């Protein structure tokens, strides 16, 4: 049985480094075995960092892969509320948009 996927709000609220399972796996909607199998084959879409026996990933890499991080050129997150977006996702995108707008007007 697979754990429920993380919402955008939960993903944006993660610490700087997160464990491969359950955090990265749940964010990508992968089971534990699939997450570790892809990591072992170096096919996971984000860099895996080994810390002793633990495997972790940088949250910024996860954000970039999911297009939740600002682009290198200063553009904001690529949040698009589609027909399948839930209220959590819409709230996260609206919050990011309002922060960007207030930062732009305060310059």
């Amino acid at each position: 049985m697979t754990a429920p996927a993380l919402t955008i709000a939960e993903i944006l609220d993660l610490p700087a480094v997160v464990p491969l399972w359950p955090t990265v796996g749940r964010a990508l909607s992968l089971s534990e075995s699939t997450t570790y199998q892809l990591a072992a084959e170096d096919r996971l879409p984000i860099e895996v960092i080994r810390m002793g026996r633990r495997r972790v990933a940088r949250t910024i890499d996860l954000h970039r892969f999911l297009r939740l991080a600002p682009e290198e050129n200063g553009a904001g997150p690529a949040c698009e509320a589609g027909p399948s977006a839930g209220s959590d996702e819409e709230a996260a995108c609206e919050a990011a948009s309002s922060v960007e707008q207030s930062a732009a007007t305060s310059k």
Side-chain angles (χ1 to χ4, degrees):
M1 184 169 151
T2 304
L6 295 175
T7 65
I8 290 176
E10 290 172 325
I11 294 169
L12 290 173
D13 207 27
L14 293 172
V17 177
V18 293
L20 204 55
W21 181 259
T23 310
V24 173
R26 286 183 56 205
L28 300 176
S29 297
L30 300 172
S31 69
E32 180 177 7
S33 60
T34 302
T35 302
Y36 282 113
Q37 181 68 35
L38 291 174
E41 296 172 357
D42 199 27
R43 291 181 34 211
L44 206 58
I46 59 175
E47 181 183 359
V48 176
I49 302 166
R50 293 200 61 139
M51 298 180 81
R53 294 180 59 188
R54 294 180 56 207
R55 292 181 185 157
V56 297
R58 291 184 305 249
T59 302
I60 190 66
D61 293 340
L62 182 62
H63 288 177
R64 285 182 182 141
F65 175 74
L66 296 173
R67 296 180 170 253
L68 298 174
E71 297 295 326
E72 298 300 322
N73 63 4
C79 286
E80 294 182 21
S84 64
S87 60
D88 288 342
E89 288 86 355
E90 290 171 5
C93 289
E94 289 173 10
S97 175
S98 65
V99 168
E100 289 172 18
Q101 289 174 355
S102 66
T105 57
S106 66
K107 289 182 180 180

